[in-house]
């Protein structure tokens, strides 16, 4: 049942984002920022934890999950270091995922020859 919940929740998030892209004039970058901010707000409101327990990777893999990771990092850093944690926490929490994306993106660019669409 976990696989089914993961699949339909992740698919629903993707479908809603696709509808948002098709029906509005929002640029993809702004939609991505909207998703990250929504994940952080849901985490701050205490709603993302139960959502994550229910949907597992269907909730943690999309950009909503990255926003929640940033929020959790800031919250933990503020608890440990005070006001300085506001500035450090998100970087510390999101650094591993960001580094992995950069490294694997670079490796993919070395292995594959990209071509422009015509």
């Amino acid at each position: 049942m976990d696989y089914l919940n993961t699949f339909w929740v992740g698919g629903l998030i993707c479908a809603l984002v696709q509808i948002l892209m098709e029906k509005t004039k929002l640029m993809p970058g702004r939609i991505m920022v909207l998703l990250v901010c929504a994940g952080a707000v849901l985490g701050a409101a205490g709603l993302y934890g139960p959502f994550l327990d229910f949907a597992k990777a269907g909730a943690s893999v999309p950009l909503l999950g990255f926003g929640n990771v940033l929020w959790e990092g800031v919250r933990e850093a503020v608890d440990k270091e005070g006001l300085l944690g506001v500035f450090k926490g998100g970087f510390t929490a999101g650094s591993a995922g960001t580094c992995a994306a950069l490294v694997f993106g670079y490796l993919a660019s070395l292995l594959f020859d990209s071509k422009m669409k015509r």
Side-chain angles (χ1 to χ4, degrees):
M1 195 62 177
D2 284 343
Y3 292 122
L4 184 63
N5 288 338
T6 298
F7 180 77
W8 78 262
V9 170
L12 181 65
I13 292 170
C14 292
L16 291 174
V17 169
Q18 188 65 40
I19 290 169
L20 190 63
M21 289 176 65
E22 297 290 330
K23 299 295 182 185
T24 67
K25 293 185 180 187
L26 289 173
M27 300 298 290
R30 291 184 181 191
I31 293 172
M32 290 169 53
V33 168
L34 181 69
L35 289 170
V36 171
C37 291
V41 168
L42 288 172
L47 300 173
Y48 206 83
F51 180 55
L52 189 59
D53 291 339
F54 173 74
K56 311 272 189 275
S60 66
V61 172
L63 283 172
L64 289 170
F66 184 65
N68 185 54
V69 165
L70 294 178
W71 161 253
E72 291 295 326
V74 168
R75 186 182 53 78
E76 288 175 14
V78 167
D79 289 344
K80 289 180 184 174
E81 302 174 28
L83 184 61
L84 187 60
V86 171
F87 304 105
K88 286 177 55 177
F91 290 114
T92 304
S95 62
T98 304
C99 181
L102 289 171
V103 168
F104 290 121
Y106 179 70
L107 291 175
S109 74
L110 292 177
L111 293 174
F112 301 101
D113 185 29
S114 63
K115 294 183 178 44
M116 296 296 290
K117 289 184 179 181
R118 294 175 193 220

